[in-house]
C-alpha cells in the first residue's frame, strides 16, 4: 500500500469507496454498513439491538452517528457507506443521548449482574458511560420470568432490556419462533412461546438466543457454573457432515462453552444443539484414558508399550498364518483426514491388503458410487451457499432440520421466504410440513417415483433439450425405458396421488436453477446406487448440473465421512477417491512400495469373511460396529469368530465390551489438530483446544506407534499432521493446492490443483471428469424382499433424532438425555388404536430377524401401516430387528425397509 493511501476494510473484488470516520480515511466495499466500517478502526458503539446475523432493526438507536450534510443523526447499523461520506461517531450530543438511553435501560436493572458478568456488552457500556444501574424499582417484577428448567440455558428476565435479539435470531436464523413479546400489566415482556418454561416451548436448544443476548438474561448454565472462558479456540464441529465451525471457550483446560464462528462460510454464525452444547463427552467419567488388554475375560489396564506390543503380535500372527488378506482395518469417520490416510496406508503399505473401509459403507456409499458412475466424481456437485441462490428445492430422503440442522435451517428460511420445495419422504418431517408438495411415498419405492417424475418432465416438454444434447448420451434408450412409468403406475406402487407427482415434476423442472439434497432415505436401500443415479438423471434432464443454485448434493452423516472415504479408506479406492488402477503408479512412486493387487473387503463383506473364518484380525477405529451394522445377531456371530479385535476409541463401546482384545484410548477432536472434509468438499482446520485426557493419544500417534511396533521404519515417520497432509497432496492431484497455510482462516473446496487456484464451488461446469458427456441409464425397479404379511403387517423405517448422534457415544454423556432420553417408535393413531398403544407406552417391535423395545409416540407424521424409530439408546439394540438386504453395487445395508409388528409391553 502506498504511503498515505487509506486502509481497505477487506480484500474483495467488490468496488471500494473512500469514507472518513472521525478524521480517519478508509476504503470499504460499496454498500458496507457504517457500523462494520467503524468497528474496523477500533471504535465500539453500543449497538445493543444489532447482531450481524440478522437484518438491522435500529430499535435501540444507540449506534447513531452524525454524517456531514445530513440534519439528523443516522443509525450506523442500517446506513450503507457511500463515496466521500464523512462520519463523526462521538460528539457531545451523541454521547449525551447514549448516556441517557443507557440510563433509561438500566434504571431497574439488577446491579449484581454487572459484578457477576462484567464481560457482557451491556455491562461494558454501562461502565464506559458511567451509568449506575438499579436506580428505580422494576415496574413488573412478578411478570419477569426466572426459569431453570432448561438443561443448558438459564432464563432471568430481570436482566432483559427489550432489545428483542432473542426473538429475532430465533425467527430469522433458526426459524423456530420459540420466543415472543407479550403485554402483561402494562409492560411488554419477552417469554417463551409456551407462555412459561423454555423447556416446554418449541425451543430446539441451538443456543442462538443465549449467544446473542447482550446482558445475560439468557445465559449458558455451563458459564454460570464454571466461569467465563479465559481464551477461545477456533475449530470444526465433530458431529454431522455440515462442517460448522466452533469457537471453543476454555478455562483451566476445561471447555466452558462453545459459540458459533460468525464468519464461518458454512454455518454463518449458527450451531445446533449438538455442536453448541454436546461436548461433555470429553470429560465424561465413562471415558477410557489408559490402554487395556483383555485377560481371562476381563479388561485390565496396562502400559502403552504392552498394549501396542500385543496389538502388533495379533496382527502379525494373523498375517503370517493366514496371509495379509486375513487382516482388515475399519477407519473412523470421526478421525481427521490425516489419520484416515495413515489408516489406509497401514493396510496397504505394511499389511499388504486392500481390506480397508469406513462407515461410508453403511450410509452414503451409494452416493459416491452413483455420482461417480454418472459424473466421474462421487461428491456433492455444489455448495451450501447455493441454498441462497436456488429457485426451487427437491429434498429426498433427508430430515435435514434434525440430521443436518444448520443446512436444514437455511433451507427452511428459504422455503418460508417463498421458494418452492418438493419433499420426498415417507414421514411428514419438519421441511415436509412447510413444503409446496410433499410426496409421502411408501418406504422402498424411490425408483418408481423418480422414474415417473422423469417421464412426466419429458412428456410435458419441461426438459432441457439443448443441455441433454450437449452434455449427455444414451438419451433415446433412457427415455424409452421411462415409458412404462406413468403417473398412475407409480402412484399405485408408491401410495402417492398422481396429481401430486405431476405438480412435483412441474415445480422442479420449471424452476431455474433447482437444487437437490438427498440423504440416507435414498441410499440405505437395496437400490441405493440406482436411487442416486435416478436423482442425477433428473438433474441432467432439466439442465440443473454445472451451475450455481443447482446440482445433486448428498448430505453426509458423520463429520468426516466424506474425507475418510476420500483419503482411501475404501477397498477399491486410493487417496482422493481415485480408482486403484488409475492412481497406482503415483502412490507407488511416492510410497516406494507396491499397492496390493487383490480385491479388498468392504465393511459388510468383512463380517461375511469373519463368519467364514477367513478374516482373523480387525483393527477397529472409532466405530461401534456391533450397534451400527444391521441384523445385529449376524454381526455378533461374525465378531465372535475373529481371533483378535483391536479397538481405538474414547469409550468402551458395545463392540469393545463384548468382543475387544486390546483397547487403545484415543483423543477427542478437541485434543488434536488436522483437517476435516465436509459434505460440500470443503477442507477445514481442526485445532486442539485441550490437552489430551489421561494417557490418551491421537489416532495419528497411535497409528505411527503401531506401525513402528509392526516393524515399519519408513513410511510413518511424519513429524506432525501437516507433514501427513503434504504427503496427501503429493498423491492427490485435485487437492494439491490446499496447504495448511491457505486454510488457516477459511476452508477451501476441492478440486484445487495448485496454490493459486481458489477452489471449486460448483463441479462439472463445462465437462465431467469422465468426459464431455454423462451417460443416461435405464433403471428398473427391484422391490424389497421386506414385504408385509399377516405376521408382520407394518413397514419400519429408522433414522436419527435432533438431540442424539448415531449410537449416542458422544451425545449420551451430555444433558441431551434430558431433552430426549429414549428411542421413540412412531406410529399412526389408527395403528395405535388397533394395537392398544398410547404415547409413552413401552412397546416391543418384532421382525423376521429379531426384536427391540422402545417408547411409543403416536403421530400423524407417519402413514398408517408404517413405523419409524430412532436408534440412539444403546440398551434397545434396534439393529436386532433390521434385515440382510444390501445394495448390490456398494453392499450398503437396507436399513430403511423392515417388515415388522408392534405390541404394547405390560407396565414394569
Amino acid at each position: 500500500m502506498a504511503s498515505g493511501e487509506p486502509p481497505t476494510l477487506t480484500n474483495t473484488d467488490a468496488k471500494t469507496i473512500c469514507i472518513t470516520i472521525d478524521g480517519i480515511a478508509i476504503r470499504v466495499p460499496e454498500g458496507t454498513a457504517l457500523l462494520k466500517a467503524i468497528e474496523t478502526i477500533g471504535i465500539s458503539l453500543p449497538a445493543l439491538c444489532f447482531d450481524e446475523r440478522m437484518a438491522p432493526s435500529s430499535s435501540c438507536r444507540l449506534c447513531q452517528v452524525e454524517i456531514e450534510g445530513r440534519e439528523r443523526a443516522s443509525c450506523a447499523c442500517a446506513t450503507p457507506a457511500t463515496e466521500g461520506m464523512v462520519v463523526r461517531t462521538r460528539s457531545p450530543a451523541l454521547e449525551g443521548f447514549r448516556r441517557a438511553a443507557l440510563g433509561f435501560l438500566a434504571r431497574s436493572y439488577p446491579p449484581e449482574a454487572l459484578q457477576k458478568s462484567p464481560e457482557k456488552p451491556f455491562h461494558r457500556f454501562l461502565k464506559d458511560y458511567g451509568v449506575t444501574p438499579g436506580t428505580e424499582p422494576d415496574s413488573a417484577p412478578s411478570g419477569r420470568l426466572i426459569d431453570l428448567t432448561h438443561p443448558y440455558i438459564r432464563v432471568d428476565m430481570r436482566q432483559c432490556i427489550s432489545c428483542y435479539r432473542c426473538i429475532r435470531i430465533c425467527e430469522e436464523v433458526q426459524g423456530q419462533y420459540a420466543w415472543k413479546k407479550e403485554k402483561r400489566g402494562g409492560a411488554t415482556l419477552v417469554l417463551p412461546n409456551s407462555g412459561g418454561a423454555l423447556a416446554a416451548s418449541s425451543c430446539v436448544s441451538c443456543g442462538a438466543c443465549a449467544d446473542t443476548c447482550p446482558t445475560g438474561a439468557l445465559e449458558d448454565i455451563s458459564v454460570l457454573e464454571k466461569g467465563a472462558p479465559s481464551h477461545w479456540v477456533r475449530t470444526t464441529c465433530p458431529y454431522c457432515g455440515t462442517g460448522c465451525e466452533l469457537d471453543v471457550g476454555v478455562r483451566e483446560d476445561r471447555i466452558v462453552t462453545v459459540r458459533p464462528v460468525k464468519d464461518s462460510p458454512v454455518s454463518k454464525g449458527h450451531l445446533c444443539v449438538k455442536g453448541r452444547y454436546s461436548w461433555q463427552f470429553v470429560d465424561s467419567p465413562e471415558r477410557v484414558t489408559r490402554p487395556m488388554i483383555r485377560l481371562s475375560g476381563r479388561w485390565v489396564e496396562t502400559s502403552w508399550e504392552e498394549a501396542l506390543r500385543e496389538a502388533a503380535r495379533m496382527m502379525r500372527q494373523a498375517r503370517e498364518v493366514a496371509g495379509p488378506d486375513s487382516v482388515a482395518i475399519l477407519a473412523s469417520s470421526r478421525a481427521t483426514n490425516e489419520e484416515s490416510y495413515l489408516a489406509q496406508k497401514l493396510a496397504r503399505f505394511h499389511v499388504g491388503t486392500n481390506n480397508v473401509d469406513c462407515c461410508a459403507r453403511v450410509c452414503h456409499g451409494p452416493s459416491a458410487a452413483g455420482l461417480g458412475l454418472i459424473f466421474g466424481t462421487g461428491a456433492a456437485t455444489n455448495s451450501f451457499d447455493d441454498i441462497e441462490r436456488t429457485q426451487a428445492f427437491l429434498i429426498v430422503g433427508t430430515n435435514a432440520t434434525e440430521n443436518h440442522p444448520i443446512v436444514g435451517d437455511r433451507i427452511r428460511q428459504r422455503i418460508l421466504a417463498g421458494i418452492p420445495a418438493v419433499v420426498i419422504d415417507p414421514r411428514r418431517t419438519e421441511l415436509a410440513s412447510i413444503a409446496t408438495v410433499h410426496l409421502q411415498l411408501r418406504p422402498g419405492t424411490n425408483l418408481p417415483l423418480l422414474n415417473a417424475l422423469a417421464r412426466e418432465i419429458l412428456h410435458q416438454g419441461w426438459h432441457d433439450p439443448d443441455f441433454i444434447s450437449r452434455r449427455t448420451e444414451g438419451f433415446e434408450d433412457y427415455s424409452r425405458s421411462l415409458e412404462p412409468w406413468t403417473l398412475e403406475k407409480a402412484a399405485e406402487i408408491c401410495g402417492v396421488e398422481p396429481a401430486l407427482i405431476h405438480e412435483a415434476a412441474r415445480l422442479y423442472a420449471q424452476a431455474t436453477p433447482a437444487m437437490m439434497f438427498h440423504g440416507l432415505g435414498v441410499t440405505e436401500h437395496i437400490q441405493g446406487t440406482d436411487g442416486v443415479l435416478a436423482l442425477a438423471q433428473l438433474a441432467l434432464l432439466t439442465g440443473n448440473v454445472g451451475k450455481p443454485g443447482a446440482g445433486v448434493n448428498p448430505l453426509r452423516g458423520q463429520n468426516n465421512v466424506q474425507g475418510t472415504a476420500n483419503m482411501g479408506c475404501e477397498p477399491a479406492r486410493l487417496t482422493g477417491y481415485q480408482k486403484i488402477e488409475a492412481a497406482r503408479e503415483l502412490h507407488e512412486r511416492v510410497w516406494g512400495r507396491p499397492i496390493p493387487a487383490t480385491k479388498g473387503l468392504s465393511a459388510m463383506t468383512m463380517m461375511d469373511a469373519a463368519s467364514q473364518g477367513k478374516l482373523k484380525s480387525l483393527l477397529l477405529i472409532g466405530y461401534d460396529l456391533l450397534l451400527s451394522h444391521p441384523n445385529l445377531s449376524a454381526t455378533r456371530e461374525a465378531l465372535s469368530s475373529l481371533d483378535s479385535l483391536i479397538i481405538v476409541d474414547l469409550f468402551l463401546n458395545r463392540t469393545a465390551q463384548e468382543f475387544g482384545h486390546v483397547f487403545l484410548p484415543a483423543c477427542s477432536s478437541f485434543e488434536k489438530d488436522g483437517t476435516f472434509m465436509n459434505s460440500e468438499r470443503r477442507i477445514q482446520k481442526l485445532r486442539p483446544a485441550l490437552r489430551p485426557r489421561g494417557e490418551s493419544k491421537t489416532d495419528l500417534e497411535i497409528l505411527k506407534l503401531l506401525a513402528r511396533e509392526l516393524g515399519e521404519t519408513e513410511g510413518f515417520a511424519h513429524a506432525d499432521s501437516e507433514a501427513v497432509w503434504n504427503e496427501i497432496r503429493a498423491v492427490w492431484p485435485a487437492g494439491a493446492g490446499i496447504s495448511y497455510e491457505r486454510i488457516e482462516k477459511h476452508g477451501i473446496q476441492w478440486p484445487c490443483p495448485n496454490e493459486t487456484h481458489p477452489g471449486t464451488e460448483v463441479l462439472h461446469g463445462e465437462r465431467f471428469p469422465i468426459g464431455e458427456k454423462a451417460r443416461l441409464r435405464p433403471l428398473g425397479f427391484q422391490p424389497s424382499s421386506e414385504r408385509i404379511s399377516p405376521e408382520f403387517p407394518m413397514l419400519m423405517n429408522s433414522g436419527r433424532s435432533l438431540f442424539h448422534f448415531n449410537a449416542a457415544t458422544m451425545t449420551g454423556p451430555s444433558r441431551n438425555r434430558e431433552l430426549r432420553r429414549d428411542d421413540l417408535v412412531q406410529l399412526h393413531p389408527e395403528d395405535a388404536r388397533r394395537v392398544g398403544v398410547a404415547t409413552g407406552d413401552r412397546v416391543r417391535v418384532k421382525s423376521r430377524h429379531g426384536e427391540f423395545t422402545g417408547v411409543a409416540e403416536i403421530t400423524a407424521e407417519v402413514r398408517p401401516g408404517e413405523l419409524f424409530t430412532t436408534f440412539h439408546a444403546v440398551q434397545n439394540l434396534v439393529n436386532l430387528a433390521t434385515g440382510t438386504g444390501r445394495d448390490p453395487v456398494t453392499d450398503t445395508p437396507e436399513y430403511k425397509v423392515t417388515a415388522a409388528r408392534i405390541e404394547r409391553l405390560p407396565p414394569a
Side-chain angles (χ1 to χ4, degrees), residues 213-234:
C213 179
T215 68
L218 304 173
E219 180 63 282
D220 290 349
I221 290 173
S222 58
V223 172
L224 296 172
E225 292 176 345
K226 301 176 183 180
S230 59
H231 65 282
W232 298 86
V233 177
R234 181 170 177 161

Side-chain angles (χ1 to χ4, degrees), residues 43 738 830 866:
I43 298 173
I738 305 176
E830 290 180 17
E866 294 175 14

Side-chain angles (χ1 to χ4, degrees), residues 700 704 716-724:
L700 198 78
K704 288 168 60 179
F716 295 85
H718 309 82
D720 52 23
S721 295
E722 185 173 9
V724 179

Side-chain angles (χ1 to χ4, degrees), residues 507-531:
L507 286 171
Y508 174 71
Q510 292 194 328
T512 302
M515 189 174 194
M516 286 184 191
F517 286 104
H518 73 269
L520 302 185
V522 172
T523 61
E524 290 182 342
H525 290 276
I526 59 169
Q527 286 192 284
T529 301
D530 285 351

Side-chain angles (χ1 to χ4, degrees), residues 588-651:
E588 290 180 346
R589 185 168 68 249
V590 173
W591 287 4
R593 197 170 292 189
I595 302 295
T598 55
K599 182 181 178 180
L601 297 171
S602 72
M604 297 301 296
T605 55
M606 285 178 193
M607 295 300 97
D608 299 340
S611 294
Q612 297 160 8
K614 296 176 181 178
L615 186 68
K616 304 293 186 182
S617 182
L618 176 63
L619 174 61
L620 185 61
I621 306 172
Y623 189 165
D624 195 348
L625 192 150
L626 184 64
L627 288 186
S628 301
H629 279 212
N631 195 0
L632 190 145
S633 298
T635 305
R636 183 173 271 147
E637 178 185 344
L639 291 172
S640 67
S641 301
L642 291 169
D643 290 345
S644 59
L645 178 60
I646 301 151
I647 305 285
V648 179
D649 213 303
L650 280 71
F651 295 92

Side-chain angles (χ1 to χ4, degrees), residues 31-305:
T32 298
L34 274 183
L35 185 62
K36 185 174 183 179
I38 290 165
E39 288 173 348
T40 63
I41 60 173
I43 298 173
S44 179
L45 299 181
L48 292 173
C49 67
F50 179 76
D51 185 315
E52 63 196 81
R53 294 167 288 186
M54 300 176 278
S57 69
S58 305
S59 58
C60 75
R61 308 198 66 79
L62 287 164
C63 69
Q64 287 187 127
V65 295
E66 295 171 353
I67 300 173
E68 192 172 281
R70 298 189 185 183
E71 284 188 26
R72 292 186 167 187
S74 302
C75 289
C77 64
T79 304
T82 58
E83 178 65 51
M85 185 177 275
V86 178
V87 179
R88 184 161 56 172
T89 67
R90 303 193 188 281
S91 69
L94 289 172
E95 293 293 86
F97 167 75
R98 290 174 187 144
R99 190 172 294 107
L102 287 167
F104 179 79
L105 292 173
R107 67 193 186 283
S108 57
Y109 195 81
E112 64 274 12
L114 277 69
Q115 300 168 357
K116 292 179 180 177
S117 305
E119 77 284 354
K120 292 295 179 183
F122 182 57
H123 301 168
R124 291 201 313 269
F125 289 125
L126 292 182
K127 180 181 178 182
D128 291 346
Y129 282 86
V131 174
T132 301
T135 58
E136 298 179 14
D138 191 343
S139 60
S142 61
R144 305 219 183 261
L145 180 69
I146 300 175
D147 178 17
L148 305 178
T149 62
H150 196 280
Y152 293 124
I153 301 169
R154 184 209 64 177
V155 180
D156 185 351
M157 287 304 175
R158 295 174 301 174
Q159 293 176 230
C160 178
I161 57 171
S162 299
C163 67
Y164 304 133
R165 280 163 63 166
C166 57
I167 295 175
R168 291 190 298 119
I169 203 165
C170 195
E171 293 176 356
E172 296 178 32
V173 177
Q174 174 59 36
Q176 210 65 39
Y177 302 88
W179 293 98
K180 65 177 182 178
K181 290 185 283 187
E182 187 171 301
K183 287 274 189 181
R184 288 192 180 180
T188 300
L189 305 180
V190 175
L191 296 167
N193 62 7
S194 63
L198 179 60
S201 73
S202 64
C203 173
V204 293
S205 306
C206 71
C209 56
D211 182 55
T212 194
C213 179
T215 68
L218 304 173
E219 180 63 282
D220 290 349
I221 290 173
S222 58
V223 172
L224 296 172
E225 292 176 345
K226 301 176 183 180
S230 59
H231 65 282
W232 298 86
V233 177
R234 181 170 177 161
T235 190
T236 305
C237 183
Y239 282 101
C240 79
T242 302
C244 300
E245 289 187 87
L246 316 177
D247 262 337
V248 181
V250 179
R251 184 187 183 97
E252 297 176 353
D253 199 38
R254 292 288 186 272
I255 297 177
V256 170
T257 188
V258 167
R259 68 186 182 192
V261 173
K262 289 186 178 179
D263 68 346
S264 169
V266 175
S267 42
K268 311 289 188 186
H270 193 36
L271 294 173
C272 79
V273 59
K274 293 184 285 290
R276 181 82 159 83
Y277 292 118
S278 302
W279 37 260
Q280 292 95 335
F281 68 89
V282 173
D283 288 307
S284 168
E286 297 175 9
R287 184 171 167 186
V288 180
T289 59
R290 292 194 64 190
M292 298 191 297
I293 296 176
R294 192 188 293 274
L295 296 175
S296 302
R298 295 178 59 251
W299 284 108
V300 178
E301 290 185 349
T302 187
S303 66
W304 269 103
E305 291 76 15

Side-chain angles (χ1 to χ4, degrees), residues 395-417:
I395 301 163
V396 189
T398 175
N399 185 9
T401 55
E402 291 206 50
N403 297 337
H404 302 84
I406 301 309
V407 172
D409 294 342
R410 290 172 68 176
I411 294 171
R412 173 172 47 206
Q413 293 291 7
R414 291 283 282 156
I415 296 173
L416 292 175

